[in-house]
Amino acid sequence: MREQYPVLPGAEPFYAEHGPVGVLLVHGFTGTPHSMRPLAQAYAKAGYTVCLPRLKGHGTHYKEMEQTTFHDWIDSVEEGYEWLKERCGTIFVTGLSMGGTLTLYMAERYSSIRGIVLINAAIDIPAIRTGMAAEGEVPRYLDSIGSDLKDPEAKELSYEKTPTASLVQLDGLMELVKSELERVACPALIFVSDEDHVVPPENADIIFRGIQSSDKEIVRLENSYHVATLDYDQLFIIERSLQFFAKHSG
């Protein structure tokens, strides 16, 4: 039986019901809805119906995350998608980091998704496999990977430790999604930070080459690190993604 932990203040999901066009937002690995809330609020203010779920095992305690699998994280996103589908005829998905991986997963399986916005999406992190293959015993918990931010005033709400078991799950998710990239055919806006200390920026190029979308674009972020949604380029990301939604919502 899984131990229950309270949700951290600030890690709550965000929902807003407005127009017939919906946006599903997905936060990253060991993170919380906090990292995507500024985007969610901006989209809601612009008149979109918004769903920003808290992924299972996230926003509570890293020991709870350790007990979840990537299938649990997929379940959380699919539940959000179903919530939007009951309210909207058009749905976009926006994801940060592993949230971008999950966004690609959704686009691979739900052809009705109108378009996707990826922000430093993870598809291939060799350091995970290298770490697991290292000689000696792999520690149960590693240091936090949160708050990779250029802005010294910004702080991400994320776990202070990273469960090794969860990294194995992330690697499995990325491998699955990467193997089926060609199934993605919807329009794609791909943001990538020039300097990212969590996900290699080359991931954006792998995604761009792998997806079959005829309408796809890579946008470079010159003034943010990994958690760009809380960094100096936040307003630029919001502005460009809103333009993307308007262009493709029909």
Side-chain angles (χ1 to χ4, degrees), residues 34-224:
H34 167 260
S35 63
M36 298 295 280
R37 197 174 304 274
L39 274 65
Q41 292 172 334
Y43 298 164
K45 187 176 179 182
Y48 293 95
T49 292
V50 171
C51 175
L52 168 54
R54 178 178 62 84
L55 301 179
K56 290 183 175 71
H58 289 71
T60 54
H61 195 283
Y62 57 84
K63 287 185 177 178
E64 183 173 3
M65 181 182 184
E66 186 180 32
Q67 300 168 45
T68 60
T69 69
F70 72 76
H71 298 288
D72 294 314
W73 311 334
I74 288 169
D75 287 346
S76 299
V77 180
E78 289 184 327
E79 287 166 11
Y81 177 73
E82 290 302 323
W83 185 88
L84 279 173
K85 230 171 83 169
E86 292 173 4
R87 295 160 175 81
C88 303
T90 300
I91 297 174
F92 294 92
V93 189
T94 302
L96 166 69
S97 191
M98 182 184 77
T101 321
L102 290 164
T103 296
L104 287 164
Y105 175 91
M106 295 296 289
E108 289 171 358
R109 280 156 181 79
Y110 295 89
S111 59
S112 59
I113 289 173
R114 189 63 62 90
I116 56 175
V117 176
L118 308 174
I119 306 156
N120 292 324
I123 201 79
D124 186 20
I125 307 178
I128 294 178
R129 290 186 297 280
T130 302
M132 297 305 163
E135 289 186 19
E137 189 175 344
V138 178
R140 182 175 174 183
Y141 302 113
L142 302 173
D143 292 339
S144 169
I145 60 166
S147 280
D148 183 37
L149 290 148
K150 190 172 186 178
D151 182 357
E153 301 298 314
K155 181 91 169 75
E156 180 191 17
L157 177 60
S158 61
Y159 287 147
E160 66 270 23
K161 291 185 183 296
T162 304
T164 301
S166 300
L167 279 171
V168 174
Q169 291 297 316
L170 170 60
D171 193 54
L173 174 64
M174 290 191 297
E175 189 175 336
L176 171 65
V177 172
K178 186 180 178 183
S179 70
E180 300 184 343
L181 279 177
E182 73 281 354
R183 295 177 64 174
V184 179
C186 64
L189 180 61
I190 305 168
F191 290 103
V192 58
S193 295
D194 287 338
E195 186 173 354
D196 185 327
H197 308 103
V198 179
V199 174
E202 297 78 24
N203 278 234
D205 300 305
I206 296 171
I207 294 165
F208 185 86
R209 290 193 304 266
I211 61 177
Q212 295 302 303
S213 312
S214 57
D215 187 329
K216 55 186 176 180
E217 179 185 5
I218 290 181
V219 177
R220 304 281 173 185
L221 302 174
E222 300 176 356
N223 206 22
S224 297

